[in-house]
Amino acid sequence: MKVAFLGTGLMGLPMAQRLLAANIELVAYNRTPEKLAPLQAAGAEIATHPRQAIRAADCIILMLTNAAAIYHVLLSDTSWRTLEGRTVIQMGTITPTESQEIRDAVIGGGGEYMEAPVLGSIPEAKAGKLIVMVGGKPEQYQRHLKLLQNFGSEPVLVGSVGAAAGVKLALNQLIASLTTSFALSLAFVERQGIDIDLFMQILRESSLYAPTFDKKMRRMLDGNYTNPNFPTKHLLKDTDLFISEAKSLGLDLGSIEAVRQLVQTAVKMSFGNDDYSSIFSAISQWGEGVGE
């Protein structure tokens, strides 16, 4: 099998590198060509246009920013005409509705489609320890299981197309909400002059604890959000996707809409390309006029 990998950003690059390390023949495309240099050095074929990558491959993996990018790269007229007989595996974060619409377009072009979004960040991508959630037919899952195991040892078949995208959005809502709640408690404890190590010791021993708290605490206290595993702007995008999809389900979205406002404030504070733990600064500096 020859694989085309479209989208080699923060997550796409280490994922593509894992395929090369497994001796899988790879052709790569990225809208910013400079990001392809490490893959070219590792033996990947480089395509200057998406249709070249698609034509050269049996299977196309998408790790693109959003649905608009997928339509531009995969479903433009010239690319769409090359999909016949090929499998598209969509691994980015989009809504269930978007995933189903893209599936229909791919099938209309003579190809087949499945989704396989992932949970985890750059360290897990490098180590092949991502949680891979699959939406598609059981036979598609079985046929591509070995390929997907390069990214995570136990890919989970969630259901048909749209189901895995839904689970991914539900999990990313938790990322935004948990991080915001922890940041508020941490800022409160800090302002109260309470020993933070003692607070964390009590928290760790409780059923309230989540490992992400320790991963983000030091960044928050130091105000050091550089070298992100997941940028704030991407969390804002995913929060917007969750809200847009959840609106049709009759849910009260008051809590996540308040979280979204804080994430947006962090972006406005120029933390868009930095780690999403920058939500802490949006909370702790609110009284300095940031939240006005």
Side-chain angles (χ1 to χ4, degrees):
M1 178 186 291
K2 187 171 184 178
V3 174
F5 206 106
L6 310 184
T8 58
L10 287 176
M11 289 289 287
L13 177 61
M15 290 170 68
Q17 286 170 328
R18 285 200 61 83
L19 296 183
L20 286 171
N23 295 317
I24 293 171
E25 197 175 357
L26 191 75
V27 53
Y29 168 81
N30 194 71
R31 287 184 293 179
T32 307
E34 294 78 17
K35 293 182 179 179
L36 293 166
L39 294 176
Q40 187 171 26
E45 181 184 337
I46 301 303
T48 56
H49 193 281
R51 67 174 178 271
Q52 295 172 339
I54 295 166
R55 269 203 205 108
D58 310 295
C59 176
I60 299 104
I61 292 178
L62 307 178
M63 200 63 187
L64 298 163
T65 307
N66 51 30
I70 293 172
Y71 276 97
H72 177 75
V73 170
L74 185 77
L75 298 173
S76 66
D77 190 52
T78 53
S79 296
W80 181 76
R81 292 174 185 276
T82 64
L83 291 177
E84 188 168 355
R86 293 170 173 83
T87 300
V88 174
I89 305 178
Q90 198 297 114
M91 302 193 73
T93 303
I94 58 177
T95 70
T97 301
E98 289 170 335
S99 191
Q100 290 160 352
E101 289 172 350
I102 291 166
R103 172 201 60 197
D104 293 347
V106 169
I107 291 173
E112 70 166 349
Y113 175 92
M114 58 190 291
E115 59 186 14
V118 297
L119 184 68
S121 54
I122 296 170
E124 290 79 18
K126 288 180 176 178
K129 293 183 178 179
L130 293 165
I131 297 173
V132 183
M133 299 156 280
V134 181
K137 298 175 182 176
E139 58 267 28
Q140 290 177 310
Y141 169 79
Q142 290 297 336
R143 204 175 341 124
H144 295 93
L145 181 59
K146 189 174 180 182
L147 175 65
L148 293 174
Q149 283 175 328
N150 287 288
F151 308 122
S153 60
E154 297 181 17
V156 179
L157 178 60
V158 179
S160 58
V161 170
V167 170
K168 170 62 171 167
L169 284 185
L171 292 167
N172 279 25
Q173 188 278 144
L174 274 176
I175 292 173
S177 295
L178 275 176
T179 304
T180 300
S181 291
F182 174 68
L184 180 57
S185 289
L186 189 65
F188 179 82
V189 166
E190 186 180 44
R191 293 286 172 89
Q192 289 283 339
I194 298 167
D195 186 316
I196 289 172
D197 288 338
L198 182 59
F199 166 70
M200 290 302 299
Q201 178 186 326
I202 294 168
L203 178 59
R204 289 185 196 107
E205 293 173 0
S206 77
S207 58
L208 303 172
Y209 179 71
T212 187
F213 298 158
D214 268 310
K215 289 181 180 179
K216 298 303 178 186
M217 179 191 68
R218 186 43 55 193
R219 277 186 176 273
M220 291 177 177
L221 294 176
D222 293 345
N224 178 13
Y225 312 122
T226 58
N227 300 315
N229 289 327
F230 189 34
T232 310
K233 65 181 182 183
H234 289 173
L235 184 60
L236 179 60
K237 184 264 294 186
D238 292 352
T239 303
D240 282 336
L241 292 178
F242 178 88
I243 291 171
S244 71
E245 191 77 8
K247 274 183 178 173
S248 64
L249 302 176
L251 301 172
D252 187 323
L253 300 176
S255 62
I256 189 60
E257 285 171 344
V259 166
R260 184 208 177 275
Q261 189 171 357
L262 283 165
V263 179
Q264 186 179 42
T265 297
V267 171
K268 288 179 178 177
M269 292 169 68
S270 301
F271 293 126
N273 292 316
D274 295 318
D275 191 83
Y276 67 91
S277 53
S278 62
I279 293 169
F280 181 80
S281 284
I283 291 171
S284 62
Q285 295 178 34
W286 184 88
E288 299 168 23
V290 170
E292 293 178 1

